[in-house]
Amino acid sequence: MSCVIRAVDIRKIYSMGEVEVRALDGVSAEIESGELLSIIGPSGSGKSTLMNIIGCLDIPTSGHIEIDGVRTSGMSEKELSNIRGKKVGFVFQQYNLLSYLTVIENVALPLIYQNVGSRERLERAAAALEKVGLSNRLHHLPRELSGGQKQRTAIARSIVAEPSIILADEPTGALDSRTGLEIMSLFAKLNEDGATIIIVTHDNSIAGMCRRTIRIKDGRIDE
Amino acid sequence: MSGFYKECIRMAIHTMKSNKLRTALSVLGVMIGVAALVVILSLGDSVTSNMMSTFSEGGIDVITIMPQKSRNSREVLNESFTSELKSKFQSIEDCIVTNSQNCSFRYMSETLSGNVIGTYSAMDDFYSLKFDSGKWWSLEDNINSRLVCAIGCDVAEKLFPGEDPVGKQMKIFYRNKAGIYTITGVISKTDSTSSISFDGSVFIPFNTFTAKVRRSANVDSYIIRIAEGWDPSVESGKIEEYLSSLVSSDGYMLFSLSSLRETISKGMGTVTMFIALIGGISLLVGGIGIMNIMLVSVAERTKEIGILKAIGAQPVNIEIQFLIEAVFLTLFGGLLGISLGIVLALLVDYILVWPLSVSVVSVFAGLVFSVLVGVFFGVYPARKASRLNPIDALSRD
Ligand SMILES: Nc1ncnc2c1ncn2[C@@H]1O[C@H](COP(=O)(O)OP(=O)(O)OP(=O)(O)O)[C@@H](O)[C@H]1O
Ligand SMILES: [Mg+2]
């Protein structure tokens, strides 16, 4: 299998006056296409930081990322936003839906930046919502949804542009355990359909549902 | 790309709607500025067209000098001064004199009082007078001091109701004497927009006037016509300069429609400048207000910007989105301003009894200006939004 993500000696250092915070301190990893991977570690260990760097939302202090064999270091904001739009889909703990857009509009939104025509946008958004089992809530506003439904909407939004990688940062963190399990089985299903999925969690049972787990502690991979 | 713009417009309208009071307050400055712009341009148009219609009636090339009682004016400003002026200034096509006196006229049993004006036969050319019947008396009538007259239409109507006065004789009483004058013509009604009216006057030859009505070498007024190809207002300045070298400044008064027009347009210019200043300041302040509100909006929606960046929005997308919002704000203010401006302009037209008109250019200019203000003052906040670091933006609550 091919390597979709390669992280090489990633460091992220926040210097706040005298104090230096080493959020990531030399992390290297290779992630194969089609993996269902969890990143687990205690709070403050650097999981989110790593995730954001992998997804090109953040830039490492040193080291570099390759996505589909392409190095992202030195890329312009425009190129980075292209990668975020086309190759990566984000799912956040707090859903991050736009409150004034309906479910289907939220899901269709990423396609606007890919110059997809309005009819195709809606078709693809509807298809994505079908996949996450939310076809019956297309025209609801986020505030009219349960937490699980919001997260399904966010997942639909992350897959609508058909990215090769889905990055989920504690996607079940705000949900009860039953809903959390539903979301996890949704990820498992998407993974079976071929998506590479990385899930950040500090919940061992969630990590247990993934085929591989990377443990992080104090900004380093804990073997 | 069209889907993106459509979405931007939707978002812009959404933000405007969800903060109605803020939107209303923030567009106030732009509204006032654009309203001022529309008023200026509309009234400027109205003034010009009204002035043009008044002055195009003729008389724009005419300068009037009225000698006043002063030390030396009587000696210099007599009838022969006309030829002196004509020889001095090439630009003078012709110069006539008029003397006038309030008299009463009688025909049969009807009596009427009015102005008797003694002048040259060239008078009718000066004011391009038209005749209901008959014509002006001739040059010889003046040379021979004949008792002839041309009468205004009001005089004709009152003394000769239902009759043609031409060839008839009427009596003119001056002080304790009287003369019997033969009527040569009836002058048509002066246009209502014209600045001078002769409807109630009676014209007699100048020599007849000095011989019969008032025995004196004094002249009440000189009427000068500037030849085509010369600027009447420039020439009137030169003539005034020449006059002031001969006579003390209280010895004469000089009028010309061209300098009057200049005075009016200067006055209008001052008013226009003033409104333009208010408009300009309002637009500036309004623009700064828009910038401020956009900066607030960017700060409030940092998280949203982060989300958009996370799902693939490029910096240029964010910039355009916020620019569109700024332009929508100013356009909204501009539309309100245009409406207000049109109402004000029509109101002024109405009060001044001018024909109601709104210049299309002003509406267009109002739109263009509001868009320009939006772009100009929206660029900085929009650029600021587009440059937000996605991870910082996302981690905001
Ligand atoms: N913008 C920042 N400025 C300074 N320090 C930061 C910043 N972001 C993160 N850190 C620090 O980096 C470290 C790693 O943070 P990170 O958010 O990656 O942890 P995490 O593993 O995701 O924790 P959690 O499970 O609580 O989400 C923490 O010690 C945090 O304080
Ligand atoms: Mg985290």
Side-chain angles (χ1 to χ4, degrees):
Chain A
M1 272 201 164
S2 61
C3 173
V4 279
I5 297 165
R6 188 198 307 273
V8 183
D9 201 22
I10 299 292
R11 276 165 222 275
K12 181 74 185 182
I13 300 165
Y14 295 102
S15 39
M16 318 175 79
E18 301 282 286
V19 195
E20 209 175 56
V21 179
R22 294 179 165 257
L24 291 176
D25 196 10
V27 172
S28 296
E30 285 189 10
I31 296 155
E32 305 276 302
S33 169
E35 269 198 272
L36 176 58
L37 175 84
S38 68
I39 299 176
I40 192 166
S43 185
S45 56
K47 306 181 296 290
S48 295
T49 309
L50 178 61
M51 186 73 113
N52 293 335
I53 287 174
I54 289 173
C56 297
L57 274 176
D58 206 354
I59 290 162
T61 312
S62 70
H64 71 263
I65 297 286
E66 283 172 23
I67 294 181
D68 285 339
V70 181
R71 271 176 82 139
T72 61
S73 40
M75 277 188 176
S76 68
E77 248 307 293
K78 184 181 161 168
E79 291 168 308
L80 291 176
S81 54
N82 249 324
I83 290 180
R84 292 197 290 267
K86 291 198 174 101
K87 304 223 159 181
V88 185
F90 284 97
V91 177
F92 302 94
Q93 181 178 355
Q94 291 306 327
Y95 325 122
N96 284 347
L97 302 173
L98 297 194
S99 59
Y100 54 88
L101 296 183
T102 62
V103 166
I104 192 161
E105 287 167 343
N106 261 294
V107 173
L109 197 57
L111 297 178
I112 280 177
Y113 304 113
Q114 313 296 328
N115 297 332
V116 178
S118 70
R119 175 185 233 147
E120 190 188 337
R121 275 207 309 275
L122 291 180
E123 281 169 9
R124 283 170 67 175
L129 282 162
E130 168 121 51
K131 260 191 189 166
V132 301
L134 216 58
S135 295
N136 52 345
R137 292 284 186 279
L138 299 187
H139 302 293
H140 285 58
L141 287 171
R143 64 165 174 273
E144 298 159 354
L145 300 177
S146 72
Q149 288 167 334
K150 281 185 210 174
Q151 199 57 297
R152 283 170 194 273
T153 308
I155 293 169
R157 182 179 65 184
S158 77
I159 61 173
V160 76
E162 290 160 7
S164 45
I165 307 152
I166 295 168
L167 301 177
D169 193 346
E170 303 200 35
T172 61
L175 304 173
D176 62 58
S177 54
R178 204 174 68 91
T179 318
L181 287 179
E182 280 171 26
I183 294 293
M184 280 311 290
S185 58
L186 176 57
F187 278 124
K189 193 180 98 191
L190 293 173
N191 177 248
E192 270 162 33
D193 292 348
T196 308
I197 300 179
I198 304 174
I199 296 169
V200 164
T201 181
H202 49 245
D203 184 337
N204 272 311
S205 64
I206 297 289
M209 297 176 73
C210 299
R211 272 182 261 148
R212 179 155 79 108
T213 298
I214 293 179
R215 291 179 185 279
I216 290 198
K217 205 180 163 200
D218 297 334
R220 290 167 174 277
I221 291 183
D222 199 23
E223 304 294 347
Chain B
M1 215 50 176
S2 71
F4 165 64
Y5 286 111
K6 229 162 118 187
E7 207 56 34
C8 286
I9 289 170
R10 271 193 49 165
M11 290 188 193
I13 292 172
H14 166 79
T15 1
M16 284 170 68
K17 270 191 183 161
S18 55
N19 294 301
K20 286 195 185 76
L21 182 64
R22 184 207 281 182
T23 303
L25 291 177
S26 62
V27 302
L28 214 60
V30 175
M31 181 179 101
I32 293 171
V34 169
L37 191 81
V38 171
V39 169
I40 294 169
L41 291 178
S42 279
L43 289 192
D45 267 14
S46 293
V47 167
T48 324
S49 62
N50 277 290
M51 223 147 60
M52 281 312 160
S53 73
T54 304
F55 293 139
S56 65
E57 291 303 316
I60 191 68
D61 50 357
V62 170
I63 299 168
T64 308
I65 301 168
M66 301 172 87
Q68 304 291 302
K69 287 198 178 86
S70 85
R71 252 181 313 109
N72 57 351
S73 73
R74 291 293 177 193
E75 294 139 40
V76 181
L77 301 179
N78 48 33
E79 199 197 335
S80 58
F81 187 63
T82 54
S83 37
E84 186 179 337
L85 272 177
K86 275 201 257 188
S87 63
K88 195 92 194 164
F89 293 96
Q90 275 189 303
S91 56
I92 295 180
E93 184 179 288
D94 202 357
C95 176
I96 59 171
V97 289
T98 68
N99 272 353
S100 70
Q101 177 84 39
N102 213 4
C103 300
S104 49
F105 319 125
R106 182 146 101 200
Y107 176 71
M108 311 287 265
S109 59
E110 290 293 328
T111 319
L112 185 73
S113 68
N115 229 8
V116 166
I117 300 172
T119 186
Y120 293 168
S121 55
M123 177 84 174
D124 66 328
D125 272 353
F126 264 64
Y127 289 98
S128 348
L129 299 179
K130 293 182 189 70
F131 288 85
D132 284 346
S133 70
K135 57 181 193 329
W136 199 261
W137 33 261
S138 66
L139 189 61
E140 288 84 51
D141 290 329
N142 186 31
I143 292 168
N144 301 321
S145 311
R146 287 192 190 123
L147 299 182
V148 289
C149 65
I151 63 176
C153 60
D154 285 355
V155 179
E157 220 166 87
K158 280 172 190 144
L159 291 189
F160 304 90
E163 279 183 69
D164 184 7
V166 175
K168 306 244 161 58
Q169 291 188 320
M170 73 174 197
K171 211 166 185 181
I172 301 180
F173 296 90
Y174 20 83
R175 296 221 173 98
N176 40 14
K177 282 184 284 174
I180 293 169
Y181 287 74
T182 307
I183 295 162
T184 62
V186 177
I187 303 161
S188 305
K189 195 157 192 64
T190 359
D191 201 290
S192 62
T193 58
S194 174
S195 40
I196 335 159
S197 164
F198 300 120
D199 297 346
S201 305
V202 168
F203 293 90
I204 63 174
F206 187 79
N207 288 344
T208 315
F209 188 95
T210 39
K212 303 280 182 192
V213 183
R214 195 167 72 209
R215 283 172 201 280
S216 106
N218 293 345
V219 169
D220 288 349
S221 60
Y222 300 88
I223 303 173
I224 297 164
R225 189 163 64 194
I226 299 300
E228 226 167 289
W230 302 80
D231 181 348
S233 63
V234 172
E235 293 311 308
S236 100
K238 284 185 189 160
I239 292 168
E240 177 144 31
E241 202 174 300
Y242 175 62
L243 265 175
S244 62
S245 71
L246 301 174
V247 184
S248 61
S249 65
D250 58 347
Y252 64 91
M253 292 209 299
L254 185 144
F255 298 105
S256 71
L257 285 184
S258 62
S259 57
L260 182 67
R261 182 165 78 170
E262 217 154 77
T263 313
I264 293 175
S265 53
K266 257 187 207 150
M268 275 310 295
T270 316
V271 173
T272 305
M273 282 288 292
F274 183 69
I275 303 178
L277 199 69
I278 294 176
I281 292 172
S282 300
L283 277 181
L284 188 72
V285 173
I288 293 170
I290 294 294
M291 183 146 106
N292 181 45
I293 224 67
M294 288 309 296
L295 286 173
V296 170
S297 183
V298 169
E300 280 178 354
R301 289 156 63 199
T302 303
K303 175 104 180 186
E304 182 182 323
I305 295 166
I307 296 170
L308 295 179
K309 289 202 158 186
I311 63 172
Q314 296 181 4
V316 65
N317 295 130
I318 305 288
E319 183 169 347
I320 289 172
Q321 184 187 329
F322 278 87
L323 254 187
I324 286 179
E325 285 200 29
V327 169
F328 259 66
L329 273 180
T330 53
L331 206 56
F332 176 60
L335 288 176
L336 291 180
I338 287 170
S339 321
L340 179 69
I342 287 176
V343 169
L344 288 179
L346 291 181
L347 203 68
V348 172
D349 280 346
Y350 179 77
I351 290 169
L352 298 181
V353 207
W354 284 348
L356 301 184
S357 75
V358 171
S359 86
V360 181
V361 176
S362 78
V363 171
F364 190 69
L367 285 176
V368 169
F369 259 82
S370 36
V371 170
L372 284 183
V373 168
V375 171
F376 187 80
F377 289 96
V379 157
Y380 174 71
R383 203 151 276 178
K384 203 171 152 157
S386 76
R387 286 182 184 161
L388 281 174
N389 177 350
I391 206 66
D392 290 347
L394 263 176
S395 58
R396 210 73 67 83
D397 307 299

